[in-house]
Amino acid sequence: SSRVLWTLAVSQLRSTNIGSAPTRHCFRFSRGYQECTGVRSQNCLATYQEGIIVFDGESFFEAKFSKPYTSEGRTGRGDTCTSAFVVARFVLEMGLQEAVNFAAEVATQKMQYRGPYVG
């Protein structure tokens, strides 16, 4: 059987309060996508200054980046988070919170240097 994957990504939200902008943006983006296309996304993933958040249509899952990063290393943060989340969730078959934690850690490692993730 084939599995259809719908993951929406929103990058670089500017908030340090997880109860505000990131959650609202994920929720609105996910609902707006469903209204426009008639398709409900399985996950809406957003990165922001301090971490990553995923909305599955019912609940929010969050993980903070584990250490400071350089501004040069930020380039590609959203792509790295999204790729790591997809691999963790659908290839390694991790649970949602575990996949979010994995994506945040991979992104943290990537943001320590310029260029693509090579870990």
Side-chain angles (χ1 to χ4, degrees), residues 3 5 7 42-43 54 56 61 82-100 102-103:
R3 177 172 27 184
L5 167 67
T7 298
Q42 288 181 353
N43 304 284
V54 171
D56 72 352
F61 301 85
T82 302
S83 300
F85 176 79
V86 169
V87 167
R89 185 77 175 119
F90 301 102
V91 176
L92 301 175
E93 298 182 346
M94 293 179 180
L96 271 169
Q97 185 62 59
E98 192 178 15
V100 170
F102 178 83

Side-chain angles (χ1 to χ4, degrees), residues 11 38 59 63 74 78 88 106 109:
S11 292
S59 301
R74 257 190 34 209
V106 169
Q109 292 173 23

Side-chain angles (χ1 to χ4, degrees), residues 38-116:
V39 176
R40 182 184 168 274
S41 68
Q42 288 181 353
N43 304 284
C44 178
L45 179 150
T47 64
Y48 64 104
Q49 184 177 1
E50 293 184 3
I52 176 176
I53 185 168
V54 171
F55 177 61
D56 72 352
E58 296 178 15
S59 301
F60 292 93
F61 301 85
E62 183 213 3
K64 303 279 186 180
F65 300 129
S66 62
K67 53 179 138 168
Y69 53 87
T70 67
S71 60
E72 292 175 338
R74 257 190 34 209
T75 302
R77 174 178 74 192
D79 294 338
T80 301
C81 279
T82 302
S83 300
F85 176 79
V86 169
V87 167
R89 185 77 175 119
F90 301 102
V91 176
L92 301 175
E93 298 182 346
M94 293 179 180
L96 271 169
Q97 185 62 59
E98 192 178 15
V100 170
N101 294 345
F102 178 83
E105 187 53 37
V106 169
T108 297
Q109 292 173 23
K110 184 268 166 271
M111 290 189 298
Q112 301 309 304
Y113 53 85
R114 172 185 274 170

Side-chain angles (χ1 to χ4, degrees), residues 18 28 35 55 76 95 109 113 118:
I18 198 61
R28 288 177 184 159
E35 288 175 13
F55 177 61
Q109 292 173 23
Y113 53 85
V118 292

Side-chain angles (χ1 to χ4, degrees), residues 2-37:
S2 64
R3 177 172 27 184
V4 176
L5 167 67
W6 296 99
T7 298
L8 305 174
V10 182
S11 292
Q12 297 184 2
L13 299 176
R14 300 194 193 294
S15 175
T16 56
N17 180 353
I18 198 61
S20 63
T23 55
R24 284 196 313 269
H25 285 297
C26 258
F27 181 79
R28 288 177 184 159
F29 190 74
S30 182
R31 293 292 186 239
Y33 180 82
Q34 182 176 356
E35 288 175 13
C36 289
T37 65

